[in-house]
Each structure stands twice: as C-alpha cells, then as structure tokens.
C-alpha cells in the first residue's frame, strides 16, 4: 500500500509479580520506592524506609513489565494472629504507569496475605488512587486522614485463603 501511514507497533509486555527475596531484588525494591516516594513525590526525606523494612514478617514484592522492574508493594501482618494485614508502599515507576503494573501488584499482595491466613487487609490510599482501589474491590473504612502530610483514605478488603 504505497503512501499508507504505518502506525507504530505497540508491544504488549508481560506483567508479573514476585516476592523480593534476594539481596538484588530487595535493592531494586527499595530503589523504586525511593524514586517514587522520595524523589518524585517528596513524601519522605531522606528515605521512606522504616521499622517494617527490618521486620522478618514484612513481604516485599516486585512487579515486572517484560524484563524490567517496574513497581513494588510491601505487606505485613498487623496482629500476632496474622488476621489483619497492612498493604503499603505501592509504587510504580512513571515509565510503566500506563502498562497496568499497579493492579497485579495489589492483587498479588491481597492473594499473598490471604494465602498466609489473613482475613482482612488495610491500606492508606492517596485520594487520587481511591477509584483504582475501589475497582479492585477495596472499600473506604473511615474518614480521610492525613498521612505523611497529605490526605489519604483508609481502605480495606476481605481476604480469601487461596494460593498466590
């Protein structure tokens, strides 16, 4: 077809999630969080690391877009029984936000906590992301609160005990 415009090929890259278990994975996890929460959003200075990062019960997750690390999430139990879990530090690098990395990360965290016996997961969600979490089955669980200096909506989701 002479003269026909050729549209650029858009590659669909596979999205995957896995626990960050190696030292290299954990380093990538923290670099992504630093990029999003410290450098880009300026929510923490000089680091977003806290006591949960040192806890053996905290689970760090990496999201991949093709072969590239693209995002993270962290989860940990809030009670000794392992019934109540916290999800936090969901971060997707700017270059991958249009690729659908966030939803698999959230679903992986929810499935992981459920597989470990959890009954409910809670999170503090930036207001711009509330509709995204509602689409994933989360519901508001109280009034808007100030967390790290900006408004967040407390949200929760019930967990099922299925394998990740």
């Amino acid at each position: 077809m002479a003269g026909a415009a050729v549209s650029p090929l858009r590659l669909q890259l596979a999205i995957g999630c896995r626990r960050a278990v190696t030292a290299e994975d954990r380093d990538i996890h923290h670099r992504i969080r630093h990029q999003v929460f410290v450098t880009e959003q300026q929510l923490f200075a000089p680091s977003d690391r806290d006591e949960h990062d040192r806890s053996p019960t905290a689970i760090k997750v990496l999201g991949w877009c093709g072969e590239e690390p693209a995002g993270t999430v962290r989860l940990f139990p809030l009670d000794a029984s392992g019934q109540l879990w916290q999800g936090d530090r969901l971060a997707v690098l700017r270059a991958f936000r249009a690729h659908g990395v966030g939803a698999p990360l959230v679903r992986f965290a929810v499935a992981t906590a459920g597989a470990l016996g959890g009954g409910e997961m809670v999170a503090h969600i930036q207001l711009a992301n509330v509709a995204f979490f509602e689409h994933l089955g989360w519901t508001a669980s109280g009034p808007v609160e100030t967390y790290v200096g900006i408004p967040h909506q407390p949200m929760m989701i019930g967990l099922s005990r299925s394998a990740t």
Side-chain angles (χ1 to χ4, degrees):
M1 301 181 91
V6 178
S7 62
L9 180 63
R10 182 170 179 202
L11 297 175
Q12 293 293 336
L13 298 173
I15 305 297
C17 299
R18 71 171 192 249
R19 290 185 189 200
V21 294
T22 68
E24 181 181 7
D25 283 351
R26 288 188 300 274
D27 184 53
I28 293 168
H29 172 92
H30 287 292
R31 282 198 320 253
I32 291 171
R33 283 176 31 189
H34 187 88
Q35 176 63 35
V36 172
F37 296 121
V38 178
T39 303
E40 181 184 323
Q41 295 184 3
Q42 299 179 345
L43 294 177
F44 302 95
S47 171
D48 76 314
R49 294 188 194 199
D50 61 19
E51 68 277 1
H52 299 294
D53 288 309
R54 293 182 295 279
S55 171
T57 61
I59 298 171
K60 298 170 186 173
V61 179
L62 280 174
W64 296 82
C65 187
E67 299 295 317
E68 296 294 322
T72 68
V73 69
R74 177 178 74 177
L75 59 145
F76 49 89
L78 288 174
D79 61 4
S81 71
Q83 287 295 303
L84 182 61
W85 284 74
Q86 171 88 33
D88 72 358
R89 301 300 201 266
L90 174 66
V92 176
L93 293 171
R94 187 181 302 275
F96 297 100
R97 291 186 188 148
H99 293 276
V101 177
L105 280 165
V106 173
R107 288 183 183 116
F108 188 92
V110 167
T112 298
L116 294 171
E120 183 177 277
M121 180 176 271
V122 297
H124 287 88
I125 308 302
Q126 292 181 23
L127 298 184
N129 299 322
V130 168
F132 168 75
F133 275 81
E134 288 174 336
H135 177 74
L136 295 174
W138 291 67
T139 58
S141 61
V144 172
E145 301 173 352
T146 299
Y147 177 70
V148 294
I150 63 171
H152 281 70
Q153 174 64 61
M155 298 189 82
M156 59 81 54
I157 191 168
L159 304 174
S160 63
R161 286 160 173 67
S162 59
T164 56

